[in-house]
């Protein structure tokens, strides 16, 4: 892919590797390798998810470091991986749904928006936002039950009064107490959390990615005018390290925006899925949960766990996007997918 700043055609053209779209992928390799790669990423970042979840359900605001020390003292290192086995079980189907919906939507919406006359930048942002929404909604069919079980295991002994002997026992007890709907507690708020979160993230990522490359283009132009560049009209072709660095920076920026926008919804969702028997005739509800949070600490209570969530999202997104692009290259069918797009 190559682009030049529209408002200044004198800027050097930047030649990026061509995008790999849905039709160019070997689907079986894409899903299998994706599940393996993202399982490793999830395992690395899981302790930050445990910290975030515990901070969200405790009444008193507890610093992240103090919470981590408490977990180590009472449960040892394994305390940071409570519920991980259950979470890992949902990785393959959830990631398959997520990546499939993401690529199909991005490809179809991107094509439609370009035909409607939108610029490449706007078309990419719209396609990425739409893809994020559809991917989140598809994945939540699997992730919500996994979230309910794994989060209850994370806070066991801290807030939840019910004792579970592992993930399978938690599934059984939840179904016995509330039926299948117990596994989908907070499904609506999960959609309200993750759909806009993904839309904001993917749209922000697209805009940040283009803005960074535009900035690099401006810098190259200044170098050329100052005599520091080659002055050739062939443009600039970044190496793989530069491409990965820009992807990582764009992902971190998008994560910060997304975390700030959707953190209150994530806190409400976590409490709905974890806490039983408080208000609403024995069931937690959104209004009751929000009132309790405001009583506990005002708006800041809705942002408990923001630090761990931002760190988790940033590292996860940075690793995810670089791994994701690498995965797409590995899964490309034998065809010429590396030429430049004009």
């Amino acid at each position: 892919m190559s682009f030049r700043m529209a408002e200044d055609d004198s800027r050097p053209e930047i030649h990026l590797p061509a995008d790999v779209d849905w039709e160019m992928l070997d689907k079986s390799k894409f899903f299998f390798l994706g599940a393996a790669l993202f399982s490793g990423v999830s395992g690395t970042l899981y302790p930050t998810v445990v910290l975030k979840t515990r901070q969200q359900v405790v009444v008193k605001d507890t610093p992240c470091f103090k919470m981590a020390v408490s977990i180590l003292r009472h449960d040892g290192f394994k305390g940071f991986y409570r519920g991980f086995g259950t979470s890992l079980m949902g990785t393959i189907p959830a990631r398959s749904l997520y990546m499939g919906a993401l690529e199909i939507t991005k490809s179809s919406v991107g094509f439609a928006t370009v035909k409607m006359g939108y610029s490449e930048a706007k078309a990419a942002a719209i396609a990425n936002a739409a893809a994020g929404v559809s991917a989140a909604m598809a994945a939540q069919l699997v992730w919500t039950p996994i979230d309910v079980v794994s989060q209850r295991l994370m806070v066991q002994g801290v807030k939840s009064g019910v004792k579970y002997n592992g993930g399978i026992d938690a599934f059984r007890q939840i179904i016995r107490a509330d039926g299948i709907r117990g596994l989908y507690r907070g499904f609506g708020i999960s959609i309200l959390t993750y759909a806009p979160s993904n839309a904001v993230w993917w749209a922000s990522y697209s805009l940040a990615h283009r803005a960074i490359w535009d900035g690099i283009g401006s810098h190259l132009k200044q170098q050329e005018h100052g005599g520091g560049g080659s002055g050739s009209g062939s443009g600039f072709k970044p190496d793989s390290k530069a491409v990965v660095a820009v992807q990582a920076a764009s992902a971190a920026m998008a994560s910060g925006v997304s975390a700030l926008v959707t953190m209150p919804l994530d806190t409400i969702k976590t409490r709905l899925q974890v806490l039983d028997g408080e208000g609403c005739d024995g069931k937690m509800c959104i209004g009751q949960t929000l009132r309790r949070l405001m009583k506990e600490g005002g708006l800041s209570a809705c942002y408990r766990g923001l630090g761990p969530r931002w760190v988790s999202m940033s590292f996860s997104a940075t690793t995810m996007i670089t791994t994701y692009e690498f995965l797409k290259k590995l899964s490309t069918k034998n065809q010429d997918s590396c030429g430049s797009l004009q």
Side-chain angles (χ1 to χ4, degrees), residues 229-245:
S230 62
S232 66
S234 59
F236 169 66
K237 186 175 182 180
D239 59 21
S240 58
K241 290 182 180 178
V243 171
V244 169

Side-chain angles (χ1 to χ4, degrees), residues 32-84:
F32 179 78
L33 289 175
L37 288 170
F38 287 117
S39 294
V41 173
S42 298
T44 303
L45 298 172
Y46 196 77
T48 61
V49 178
V50 173
L51 282 172
K52 186 256 322 177
T53 302
R54 289 206 178 192
Q55 282 190 303
Q56 287 176 321
V57 300
V58 295
V59 174
K60 186 179 179 181
D61 192 7
T62 306
C64 186
F65 180 75
K66 187 176 180 180
M67 181 73 74
V69 171
S70 176
I71 293 172
L72 279 173
R73 184 182 297 124
H74 292 96
D75 302 315
F77 186 72
K78 68 178 183 181
F80 288 105
Y81 281 89
R82 276 191 175 181
F84 179 64

Side-chain angles (χ1 to χ4, degrees), residues 80-276:
F80 288 105
Y81 281 89
R82 276 191 175 181
F84 179 64
T86 302
S87 179
L88 198 59
M89 279 196 323
T91 295
I92 295 176
R95 289 295 182 186
S96 296
L97 285 169
Y98 186 93
M99 293 187 295
L102 183 74
E103 285 300 318
I104 292 171
T105 307
K106 192 191 299 184
S107 180
S108 58
V109 174
F111 179 75
T113 49
V114 169
K115 284 190 68 177
M116 291 169 64
Y118 286 95
S119 67
E120 185 183 339
K122 288 182 179 179
I126 293 170
N128 277 282
V133 171
S134 66
M137 293 179 70
Q140 282 309 305
L141 293 171
V142 175
W143 274 129
T144 297
I146 296 298
D147 262 353
V148 169
V149 174
S150 62
Q151 286 175 350
R152 292 194 183 197
L153 292 172
M154 287 178 200
V155 302
Q156 188 169 230
V158 177
K159 196 70 178 175
S160 180
V162 183
K163 299 297 181 183
Y164 303 114
N165 186 23
I168 294 175
D169 180 55
F171 269 109
R172 288 173 179 167
Q173 289 199 47
I174 292 170
I175 291 175
R176 189 181 302 127
D178 301 313
I180 293 295
R181 70 176 185 174
L183 293 174
Y184 281 89
R185 173 171 291 168
F187 179 73
I189 193 70
S190 292
I191 295 294
L192 289 175
T193 300
Y194 291 119
S197 176
N198 275 262
V200 170
W201 192 94
W202 281 103
S204 299
Y205 172 79
S206 177
L207 294 172
H209 187 259
R210 178 167 288 273
I212 291 172
W213 282 120
D214 285 347
I216 292 172
S218 298
H219 178 69
L220 291 173
K221 179 188 175 184
Q222 291 175 358
Q223 280 192 327
E224 285 186 357
H225 286 181
S230 62
S232 66
S234 59
F236 169 66
K237 186 175 182 180
D239 59 21
S240 58
K241 290 182 180 178
V243 171
V244 169
V246 172
Q247 288 173 347
S250 303
M253 292 166 66
S255 297
V257 174
S258 182
L260 282 171
V261 170
T262 61
M263 188 66 201
L265 287 171
D266 186 71
T267 300
I268 294 170
K269 173 193 74 71
T270 300
R271 288 206 167 195
L272 280 171
Q273 292 177 330
V274 170
L275 303 182
D276 282 320

